[in-house]
Amino acid sequence: MKMGRLENRVAIVTGAGQGIGRAIALGMAREGASIFIADINAANAATVKQEITAQGGRAGALCSDISEEQSVRAMVDVALKEFQRIDILVNNAGMFPTSPVEEMQEEEWDRVIGTNLVGTFLCSKAVVPHLLAQRSGRIISLTSGRAFQGAKNGAHYAASKAGIIGFSKSLALELAPHGITVNVLCPGITDTSQPRGHQTEEQIYSQGQRIPLGRIGQPEDLVGPTIFLASDAARFITGQTILANGGGIMW
Amino acid sequence: MEKKVAVVNGGAGGIGRAVVRRLGEAGYALFILDKNEQAGGETLEELRQQGYQADYHVVELTNAAEIKTLFAAIQREAGRIDLLVNLAGGTLHKHPVQEFPLAEWIEVLNVNLKATFLCCQAVCKLMRERKAGVIINTSSNFGITGGAGRTAYAASKAAVIAFTKSLALEMAPHGVRVNAIAPGLTATARVMGGYDKAEWQRRARQIPMGRAAHPSDIAEGVAFLASDDAGYTTGQTLHVNGGMIFN
Ligand SMILES: NC(=O)c1ccc[n+]([C@@H]2O[C@H](COP(=O)([O-])OP(=O)(O)OC[C@H]3O[C@@H](n4cnc5c(N)ncnc54)[C@H](O)[C@@H]3O)[C@@H](O)[C@H]2O)c1
Ligand SMILES: NC(=O)c1ccc[n+]([C@@H]2O[C@H](COP(=O)([O-])OP(=O)(O)OC[C@H]3O[C@@H](n4cnc5c(N)ncnc54)[C@H](O)[C@@H]3O)[C@@H](O)[C@H]2O)c1
């Protein structure tokens, strides 16, 4: 078999129970990485674990809530126990409920910021000591085109995703002297359950017409860029945002 | 030709050599265009020793007619061009703006921007007809930050980004992707020669990752953009600079 680009690496992928995270987990496993699936949906996490082992990969799974510090600590402990090391963290878990600011409940605001942004911080914080000890590692976090363009009825989401970029640039500066890179990956609208929370099928697919490459994204479109950022080939890339969005936004 | 074909202008330069080496490894048949015949010959010899399929053509990229003739010849010979990498360029001239001779200012624009336009134009039709192709243009950290004494270079490299986005929009319906790569300080002979040793080391240490880019770091970025891994990425600029600046 051909050597994978992520052979002997261990990756935690949050929100890997479905959608983009699942595709990334399966794709990185194909490149030889051991995958730890952390998702608040335990049944989905277990299914993806099985999918990876069925294709001959190594995987672990845990029901985790990235917005809870205790749960994130447990996620890292269990991953370490199972695989002895952590090389890559993909901060993918996220949520996108909608309400106009005027009616937005503080609770909903806190939940979105707490998951998307604070969750990214908590997971990063929990793995950083291990990456520092190894003097190597990769953190890749998912933002959204909404970070650049805003989201009508999704001000919390847009704010959280822009926050991830500012956070990642700062963390990149902190970790660069230690050979650890921190980058951001930006999908455009992608064919998962997320946009279905607030758009009809027609609204979703019709957006493909306005995207230069002529279609909306598929979860698989994010796999190549994630593997690249996680691999040795991207050793000198840090603090950047890579867009895999069919040219929907050019940055 | 059976193999995918890549045309790399500036392919005999510091970064260029690492790029053609990497693309050779990725299985491309290579056409190197460069005005530096000695460096071109050396690069070609190295590639052939590695067992890569490669050809070298001397060209002055500020000469539109030469570009036209040369690309037509390549197209005839190879029958296909899958990848165009526009790397030729550089700061060339550094002066405070009030002292910058117009002729030099335009020369910088011609090499960095106009040659990029002309080479893109020369492959567009073929790529459109084949409904496949990738173009990678070269910007620079200076295209984002600007640089004292570098009004021409910074303008040309910022312009490359907007040109790239516009061409990406024109070519996307035809299945052709157009992106830019923006190296930061990179350890090539030309650029290192512009600093004394202590100054070079000081600058490299100031970069968050503590060193200048190696040409191979940039080559890996080019190989990624060229590959199907970047199949849904167009109109973007990939910054490979050790955290020197962020996009
Ligand atoms: N789909 C799109 O159009 C799109 C566009 C831009 C960005 N993104 C981003 O990409 C990422 C993945 O999105 P997706 O489309 O696959 O979404 P999805 O809703 O299909 O999947 C999200 C996953 O995260 C998990 N999750 C949610 N909250 C969690 C928590 N607190 N702890 C642990 N897991 C949690 C969910 O259970 C689910 O498995 C998200 O960060 C999203 O914001 C998606
Ligand atoms: N080295 C760096 O620090 C750095 C940083 C940012 C961007 N860049 C960009 O990367 C690219 C490559 O830079 P490099 O450092 O390898 O430079 P280089 O000078 O080593 O290589 C440039 C090559 O282009 C060729 N060339 C230049 N003008 C030409 C012309 N008119 N016609 C034909 N060939 C011509 C040269 O002969 C040379 O082989 C340039 O576009 C440069 O602006 C370099």
Side-chain angles (χ1 to χ4, degrees), chain A residues 16-229:
Chain A
Q18 64 182 46
I20 294 171
R22 172 179 166 274
I24 287 172
L26 289 164
M28 293 208 302
R30 280 195 299 272
E31 292 291 337
S34 302
I35 310 293
F36 195 79
I37 299 145
D39 202 297
I40 202 163
N41 183 325
N44 282 352
T47 306
V48 176
K49 174 184 163 167
Q50 269 171 8
E51 288 181 273
I52 291 174
T53 39
Q55 69 178 27
R58 282 173 308 277
L62 187 71
C63 176
S64 321
D65 181 350
I66 60 158
S67 67
E68 292 290 337
E69 191 162 24
Q70 289 289 356
S71 179
V72 169
R73 229 177 272 143
M75 168 186 92
V76 170
D77 288 347
V78 175
L80 277 174
K81 217 167 137 204
E82 207 157 329
F83 297 118
Q84 287 74 52
R85 56 185 290 138
I86 297 166
D87 301 282
I88 301 157
L89 167 68
V90 182
N91 286 307
N92 163 79
M95 54 158 44
F96 189 173
T98 47
S99 7
V101 168
E102 217 181 302
E103 292 158 24
M104 194 179 281
Q105 299 297 306
E106 188 183 348
E107 181 276 332
E108 184 175 296
W109 172 271
D110 288 342
R111 201 150 42 85
V112 174
I113 300 291
T115 303
N116 298 356
L117 182 55
V118 181
T120 295
F121 158 69
L122 287 174
C123 294
S124 304
K125 182 178 171 184
V127 302
V128 161
H130 305 286
L131 304 185
L132 282 174
Q134 284 166 214
R135 295 193 64 80
S136 70
R138 298 279 194 269
I139 297 176
I140 300 158
S141 303
L142 276 283
T143 186
S144 158
R146 308 303 185 140
F148 308 111
Q149 296 195 317
K152 191 176 161 198
N153 301 335
H156 40 18
Y157 181 79
S160 73
K161 290 297 185 180
I164 285 172
I165 297 174
F167 170 71
S168 299
K169 290 177 179 179
S170 309
L171 189 59
L173 290 173
E174 293 182 20
L175 299 182
H178 307 281
I180 300 160
T181 69
V182 183
N183 290 291
V184 179
L185 180 60
C186 183
I189 180 164
T190 306
D191 197 356
T192 69
S193 74
Q194 185 178 280
R196 294 186 162 78
H198 48 93
Q199 294 180 70
T200 64
E201 293 298 306
E202 215 225 297
Q203 283 172 329
I204 291 168
Y205 287 108
S206 68
Q207 288 179 61
Q209 292 158 16
R210 280 189 277 112
I211 293 171
L213 285 178
R215 60 172 176 86
I216 67 165
Q218 291 298 323
E220 197 63 31
D221 291 319
L222 287 313
V223 174
T226 306
I227 291 168
F228 169 65
L229 287 175

Side-chain angles (χ1 to χ4, degrees), chain B residues 82-121:
Chain B
D82 299 274
L83 173 64
L84 168 67
V85 186
N86 290 305
L87 265 171
T91 299
L92 304 192
H93 303 290
K94 259 176 87 176
H95 307 286
V97 79
Q98 66 276 17
E99 294 161 21
F100 218 125
L102 175 63
E104 290 187 4
W105 216 89
I106 289 185
E107 187 192 340
V108 175
L109 237 56
N110 282 347
V111 177
N112 292 308
L113 181 60
K114 191 172 174 187
T116 296
F117 155 66
L118 291 170
C119 292
C120 288
Q121 198 178 44

Side-chain angles (χ1 to χ4, degrees), chain A residues 5 215 235 240-241 246 249, chain B residues 217 229 232 236 242 245 247:
Chain A
R5 285 176 286 174
R215 60 172 176 86
R235 60 195 166 247
Q240 311 300 342
T241 302
I249 298 170
Chain B
D217 296 321
D229 278 346
Y232 200 52
Q236 313 298 346
I245 60 150
N247 68 339

Side-chain angles (χ1 to χ4, degrees), chain A residues 5 169 173 176-177 212-213 215-217 221 224-225 228 233 235-236 238-247 249-251, chain B residues 165 168-169 172-173 208-209 211-213 216-217 220 224 229 231-243 245-247:
Chain A
R5 285 176 286 174
K169 290 177 179 179
L173 290 173
L213 285 178
R215 60 172 176 86
I216 67 165
D221 291 319
F228 169 65
R235 60 195 166 247
F236 208 56
T238 196
Q240 311 300 342
T241 302
I242 310 280
L243 298 92
N245 60 6
I249 298 170
M250 295 178 181
W251 200 245
Chain B
K165 292 176 181 179
L169 289 171
M209 293 196 85
R211 64 172 178 93
S216 69
D217 296 321
E220 292 291 355
F224 164 68
D229 278 346
Y232 200 52
T233 293
T234 196
Q236 313 298 346
T237 302
L238 179 64
H239 292 261
V240 186
N241 59 29
I245 60 150
F246 300 143
N247 68 339

